[in-house]
Amino acid sequence: MVTQQPPAQSSLSVLSTMALRNALNELIPAFTAASGIQINIEYGATAHLSERIRAGARGDLLLAVAGSIDELIVEKILNSGSRVDLVSSDVAMAVGLSAAVPDISTQDAFIATLKAARSIAFSKQGASGMYFASLIKRLGLDEEVRAKATVLPEGLTGALVAKGEVELAVQQMSELMQVPGINIFGKLPPAVQQSTVFSAGVFRETVQNAAIATLIQFLQTDHAKRAFTQQGLDPV
């Protein structure tokens, strides 16, 4: 499973998007058992992680939206050429387990569902939330949707559905799957869908290049791909 063997005492500091949390929580113990490399990982929305990094936060490896990895490479915070694409994720919607399932099979049906919903939750800083905010503006629904929306600064929108606080949650499929007690009834239709690629990028200051290479190699194994797929992520 892990073929390259760095020094036994290696440890890595990883900053990761929330979208990968469930899969990584399953994969990291197996990786450490096989390699001896300890992983210290912090999760957050990509935009929030980028803010922290630009303010001086550092680690060895960043797992985040591909576009943000590219920006930090241009800013010479991450190593040039270090981006490795791992998975992609689509935006999906969820309701409560006992709620009627809305129709979002077409763009028109999706718009009708947004108009009919009594309350909606999306995130402010996550990739899906920022896309959804741009989408409702493009569709001319910004004012109408925001009037009944809960916009989370960070976190899992499905949790509000599970608690009965909102009717409809919008987020990456992999993030909705982290919340028990909800019905993830579908992805946004193709006409309004955006697939987000999540990638790895290496901090320039790191001296743990062998351990990083071993981790990235592991995240591209068939074992890792199966774990990603089970959590709503599509290996690339």
Side-chain angles (χ1 to χ4, degrees), residues 72 101 119 199:
L72 294 169
V101 175
S119 55
S199 309

Side-chain angles (χ1 to χ4, degrees), residues 69-225:
I69 298 286
D70 288 341
E71 290 173 1
L72 294 169
I73 287 174
V74 170
E75 295 169 29
K76 301 187 184 305
I77 295 173
L78 301 178
N79 280 333
S80 176
S82 69
R83 173 181 152 186
V84 177
D85 296 339
L86 298 172
V87 295
S88 65
S89 179
D90 289 341
V91 182
M93 293 181 127
V95 293
L97 291 177
S98 61
V101 175
D103 180 10
I104 58 169
S105 58
T106 66
Q107 178 172 319
D108 287 343
F110 170 74
I111 291 171
T113 289
L114 293 184
K115 287 177 171 288
R118 297 184 301 276
S119 55
I120 300 171
F122 63 97
S123 61
K124 181 179 181 180
Q125 293 192 309
S128 60
M130 291 189 289
Y131 170 67
F132 185 73
S134 68
L135 175 62
I136 57 176
K137 182 173 290 188
R138 173 162 64 86
L139 295 175
L141 299 172
D142 187 60
E143 184 175 343
E144 183 176 356
V145 170
R146 286 185 180 275
K148 55 188 177 183
T150 298
V151 184
L152 293 182
E154 192 171 10
L156 300 173
T157 62
L160 300 183
V161 167
K163 292 186 287 187
E165 296 179 5
V166 300
E167 178 183 353
L168 189 64
V170 181
Q171 205 157 36
Q172 299 287 351
M173 171 69 80
S174 61
E175 291 176 288
L176 290 174
M177 289 179 68
Q178 296 177 33
V179 181
I182 61 174
N183 177 14
I184 306 168
F185 63 87
K187 297 179 178 181
L188 273 57
V192 293
Q193 179 61 263
Q194 175 173 275
S195 184
T196 299
V197 175
F198 296 99
S199 309
V202 179
F203 284 93
R204 293 188 70 182
E205 295 91 342
T206 186
V207 295
Q208 297 281 14
N209 292 308
I212 290 168
T214 302
L215 176 57
I216 291 175
Q217 180 187 32
F218 173 80
L219 294 177
Q220 296 175 300
T221 61
D222 289 342
H223 172 72
K225 289 177 180 179

